[in-house]
Amino acid sequence: MNINVTKPFLPPLAEYHTYLQGVWEREWLTNNGPLVNELEVALKERLDLDHLLFVSNGTIAIQLALKALNITGEVITTPFSYVATSSAVCWEGCVPVMADISPLDFNIDPEKIEAKITPHTSAILATHVYGNPCDVDAIEAIAAKHGLRVIYDAAHAFGTRYKNRSLFSYGDVATSSFHATKLFHTIEGGAVIARDPAVLKRMAEMRNFGHISPTAFQEVGINGKNSEVHAAMGLCNLKYLDDILRVRKSLSERYDRNLAGLPIQRPVSRQGTDFNHAYYAVAVEDEALLLKIIDGLQLHNIFPRRYFFPSLSTLPYVSTESCPVAEDLSRRVMCLPLYHTLSEEEVDMICRLIKRYIRY
Ligand SMILES: *Cc1c(COP(=O)(O)O)cnc(C)c1O
């Protein structure tokens, strides 16, 4: 059996089936159905948020955020994220301008942001990489000083709390992904969270083609809705969230103990973080060693992933100054397998192999 970087969490089939029975009885599959509503309410309660909308995926979530905040021109963003962070900016007709990351937490470095601000800048789009909080206070201060909007790509941040608040509650808008590979998932799906209820209302209209009534359209919209069967998966999975968080923490701590003393680098969490352990990332000395380890693990059917490679500053459709920290890190970092059904013995085996390849 393969050990992949991740495996989707699957609830007991009977529990999912119970929700499907209700869907069949109601014959209501999509368009803001009762399960979508129930999931939104449950998520708001669980995460202690005032507003949240369930949308079709985490990429559309970023696009809705950019649109609803009237973002145009240049968006200062991070080169160390999944490609959707940059591509969504381009897709919305804006220009991504990369500010390099901090070598400590791998998140956008606030000190690099200010130098990139021009009269065309309208927003900062930062990713809480691996679920670790960005320096939200410094970013907030820069945004306030220069009149910029802040959007967080919080696709990894489900369950992380920072200063006793959900990480989703920071920024003008936070977006998330509930894709099958993420810690909490709805198969495909995502969410937008907004500080200002008016922005949330706008995104609610935009996700439904811009309808404000069956026959009236306020402005241009898109199909950003999600369905009853996706919401049902979320409602099933949400019941297991405490369990999911607990297992990931325990497996991550096992990795920590096994890998202690090796010449590897791990992202540092800032003080006040209650981390969700969404990913277990390690950076090694250089790309040659990384590839040696990846090849060696593959021989044992173990498949870590190069999250994130390449640095988004090197994308062919992004023209930006180079970001040396991100470009260096992305060449030598990977995420190790971490999922609910991964066993402690498997973690030990992965670590034994890594040690062998690092030493020889
Ligand atoms: C997964 C992910 C996305 C995209 O989410 P989808 O739901 O797959 O569209 C965006 N940003 C980051 C950082 C991600 O990890």
Side-chain angles (χ1 to χ4, degrees):
M1 267 252 283
N2 284 351
I3 301 180
N4 290 322
V5 68
T6 188
K7 266 184 202 159
F9 179 84
L10 283 168
L13 188 55
E15 293 179 17
Y16 191 54
H17 191 248
T18 304
Y19 278 106
L20 292 187
Q21 255 163 349
V23 173
W24 258 246
E25 279 156 24
R26 286 185 294 275
E27 301 180 344
W28 188 350
L29 298 181
T30 187
N31 286 15
N32 212 21
L35 295 182
V36 165
N37 251 292
E38 195 180 325
L39 178 64
E40 288 179 342
V41 170
L43 289 172
K44 280 187 276 193
E45 272 175 15
R46 169 74 214 209
L47 301 169
D48 201 12
L49 297 166
D50 292 333
H51 314 286
L52 174 148
L53 294 172
F54 183 39
V55 300
S56 45
N57 59 63
T59 307
I60 285 287
I62 302 171
Q63 290 176 225
L64 284 169
L66 292 164
K67 203 75 132 198
L69 292 170
N70 298 317
I71 304 305
T72 58
E74 296 171 5
V75 175
I76 297 177
T77 186
T78 175
F80 193 69
S81 184
Y82 184 58
V83 70
T85 315
S86 300
S87 62
V89 171
C90 296
W91 199 268
E92 286 304 317
C94 301
V95 178
V97 174
M98 303 288 171
D100 209 349
I101 57 170
S102 152
L104 290 181
D105 64 9
F106 307 173
N107 285 322
I108 197 166
D109 183 346
E111 284 181 14
K112 307 277 173 62
I113 293 177
E114 224 158 358
K116 301 284 178 172
I117 296 173
T118 75
H120 305 293
T121 309
S122 56
I124 299 165
L125 168 58
T127 300
H128 299 299
V129 174
Y130 307 137
N132 252 321
C134 293
D135 190 347
V136 290
D137 296 325
I139 292 173
E140 187 83 47
I142 293 167
K145 181 171 158 200
H146 296 274
L148 306 176
R149 299 296 207 148
V150 179
I151 301 169
Y152 286 110
D153 180 344
H156 304 168
F158 198 105
T160 295
R161 294 176 67 80
Y162 181 59
K163 294 187 174 171
N164 288 320
R165 276 163 55 190
S166 164
L167 201 45
F168 286 173
S169 67
Y170 293 88
D172 290 297
V173 175
T175 66
S176 196
S177 165
F178 302 158
H179 182 255
T181 55
K182 310 298 206 245
L183 182 148
F184 167 81
H185 80 90
T186 61
I187 308 173
E188 290 275 357
V192 287
I193 297 95
R195 181 178 293 164
D196 176 357
V199 171
L200 195 92
K201 182 165 176 290
R202 201 167 176 211
M203 290 192 287
E205 289 164 7
M206 285 176 162
R207 94 175 147 171
N208 188 26
F209 304 103
H211 273 288
I212 50 169
S213 80
T215 52
F217 303 90
Q218 181 96 344
E219 58 188 342
V220 65
I222 196 165
N223 183 356
K225 295 180 273 90
N226 212 326
S227 83
E228 291 293 279
V229 298
H230 291 86
M233 180 60 83
L235 286 163
C236 288
N237 287 344
L238 199 53
K239 291 187 201 127
Y240 294 92
L241 184 65
D242 287 329
D243 216 25
I244 292 171
L245 291 168
R246 184 182 51 74
V247 167
R248 297 182 96 94
K249 180 167 195 274
S250 147
L251 292 172
S252 299
E253 288 170 354
R254 196 166 184 98
Y255 270 123
D256 284 343
R257 286 196 299 274
N258 282 337
L259 298 177
L262 289 183
I264 56 171
Q265 187 191 347
R266 300 253 307 124
V268 178
S269 296
R270 64 189 53 257
Q271 271 221 329
T273 302
D274 185 7
F275 184 43
N276 63 358
H277 299 278
Y279 297 85
Y280 196 93
V282 293
V284 296
E285 199 178 329
D286 57 28
E287 190 171 30
L289 179 57
L290 184 80
L291 295 176
K292 188 169 111 181
I293 295 170
I294 289 176
D295 287 349
L297 290 175
Q298 277 183 11
L299 292 176
H300 294 82
N301 297 319
I302 299 162
F303 299 93
R305 274 290 289 272
R306 296 185 75 181
Y307 291 148
F308 297 100
F309 180 84
S311 170
L312 302 174
S313 52
T314 67
L315 285 172
Y317 51 84
V318 165
S319 96
T320 197
E321 287 165 48
S322 83
C323 296
V325 181
E327 286 158 26
D328 168 56
L329 177 73
S330 63
R331 279 192 288 266
R332 54 192 183 81
V333 69
M334 66 181 157
C335 284
L336 298 179
L338 186 60
Y339 49 86
H340 195 68
T341 52
L342 184 71
S343 70
E344 295 188 338
E345 292 70 30
E346 286 168 326
V347 170
D348 293 348
M349 177 178 67
I350 294 165
C351 294
R352 270 198 309 275
L353 290 165
I354 290 174
K355 278 183 197 163
R356 186 194 297 168
Y357 293 115
I358 285 189
R359 295 221 171 100
Y360 306 105

